[in-house]
Amino acid sequence: METERTVQEADDAARYRQDGAIVLRGVFDAWVEPLRVGIAALMADPSPLERTVRPADGSAPFFQDLCNWQRIPEFEAFVHKSPAAKIAARLMGSRTARFFHDHVLVKQPGGSTVTPWHQDQPYYCVEGQQSVSFWIPLDPVPRDVVMECIKGSHTWGKGFRPMRFDGTRLYANDDFEVMPDIEAMRPTLDIAGWDMQPGDAIAFNFRTVHGAPGNHSPRARRVFSARWVGDDAVFAQRAGRTSPPFPDLGLHDGDPLDVPIFPVVYRS
Ligand SMILES: O=C(O)CCC(=O)C(=O)O
């Protein structure tokens, strides 16, 4: 039994490094209820980083908030006590797993907001190959509503221009490439997406190109996303305020991400 699990884990890690996105079934089952409680508390008292998109067509909003793990006890418990850090280290092939930040994304039923195709790394003040986000749904999410990931896109060797979800540029000037028309390229790409149950997770690299449709289902799509980096993570000075912003780190381009706000939670 133990051997079977070890083989499965090694297989997950190999596929993760090859595809840049995999699904993990049931790994956070025990955390579904606590994370639901945490999200309810957050939505009742959002942070200054909250940004809710209200679609022009009057359909339901897309609530987002970031970096709340230090004030929402259920999120803090997830960071320190769930298996996430250990799984992250294994998938990244890293000795350590350092927590980067949490992100809550709630698409209310019927909301038309599409999450545009993007890579996360250019939004962040971090560079490195070893990274993973766990996209953890707290409601059942069918394949036609779920976030999709382009397999292998983390190895394209490209950084795509970060855009705000309202279509404006995140940095006034930057050297990033414009994201190509992924929908037009769809037939030529290997795009992964899964039917998801609460407690499953999509694990994906910060360089993996991903996006999500609007929530045309009759139920909310509550997601808790937990983002981790590995041994090779360094601070990246971007051309403007990153998302999320970390204005007072006192780090320079290329410095290890070694500050208390990004704690090492797992070390093998
Ligand atoms: O949930 C979504 O709509 C998008 C999620 C996403 O872009 C992310 O977690 O990086």
Side-chain angles (χ1 to χ4, degrees):
M1 203 53 191
E2 189 54 34
T3 316
E4 258 174 49
R5 197 170 66 212
T6 312
V7 169
Q8 177 63 45
E9 288 177 354
D11 188 47
D12 284 350
R15 277 186 308 111
Y16 178 71
R17 274 170 246 157
Q18 179 175 309
D19 292 348
I22 58 169
V23 67
L24 301 170
R25 297 293 182 192
V27 279
F28 299 123
D29 281 354
W31 290 90
V32 170
E33 261 328 300
L35 291 175
R36 284 178 177 157
V37 170
I39 288 185
L42 175 66
M43 292 181 79
D45 179 23
S47 83
L49 294 181
E50 179 239 348
R51 50 197 89 129
T52 294
V53 182
R54 293 178 201 287
D57 62 9
S59 67
F62 175 20
F63 172 93
Q64 289 190 75
D65 205 341
L66 300 137
C67 302
N68 289 291
W69 67 275
Q70 287 157 306
R71 74 181 183 99
I72 304 279
E74 292 80 7
F75 295 176
E76 178 160 32
F78 180 87
V79 171
H80 285 290
K81 299 192 178 141
S82 81
K86 188 170 182 190
I87 299 172
R90 177 163 53 74
L91 295 181
M92 295 187 291
S94 174
R95 209 170 43 79
T96 59
R98 186 185 286 282
F99 190 62
F100 186 47
H101 73 273
D102 58 282
H103 190 165
V104 167
L105 309 107
V106 178
K107 287 192 175 175
Q108 299 292 7
S112 65
T113 310
V114 170
T115 307
W117 291 104
H118 66 285
Q119 270 170 328
D120 288 336
Q121 190 136 296
Y123 290 76
Y124 297 160
C125 62
V126 65
E127 279 292 335
Q129 304 291 332
Q130 293 169 317
S131 62
V132 62
S133 288
F134 295 115
W135 189 91
I136 306 164
L138 305 175
D139 300 287
V141 182
R143 170 67 183 87
D144 61 349
V145 171
V146 81
M147 181 181 77
E148 298 183 301
C149 296
I150 304 179
K151 285 191 192 173
S153 52
H154 63 308
T155 63
W156 285 353
K158 292 177 187 285
F160 293 110
R161 175 165 301 150
M163 306 293 290
R164 295 197 185 86
F165 288 1
D166 66 4
T168 59
R169 283 175 77 151
L170 183 62
Y171 312 126
N173 281 303
D174 63 53
D175 297 333
F176 290 112
E177 271 184 54
V178 173
M179 179 66 70
D181 183 349
I182 300 294
E183 289 306 325
M185 294 164 67
R186 196 178 261 274
T188 66
L189 297 169
D190 190 357
I191 297 186
W194 298 271
D195 275 310
M196 302 289 289
Q197 290 301 318
D200 294 346
I202 298 173
F204 64 105
N205 187 284
F206 290 1
R207 292 163 183 257
T208 299
V209 177
H210 59 286
N215 182 9
H216 47 79
S217 83
R219 88 174 111 203
R221 196 218 66 176
R222 289 171 291 179
V223 167
F224 180 79
S225 205
R227 312 193 189 274
W228 303 82
V229 294
D231 302 333
D232 74 350
V234 292
F235 179 76
Q237 184 66 56
R238 301 294 186 200
R241 190 176 130 107
T242 57
S243 176
F246 291 105
D248 302 317
L249 295 177
L251 297 176
H252 300 103
D253 216 30
D255 283 352
L257 216 60
D258 205 6
V259 284
I261 196 172
F262 306 129
V264 171
V265 178
Y266 178 82
R267 199 182 291 276
S268 64

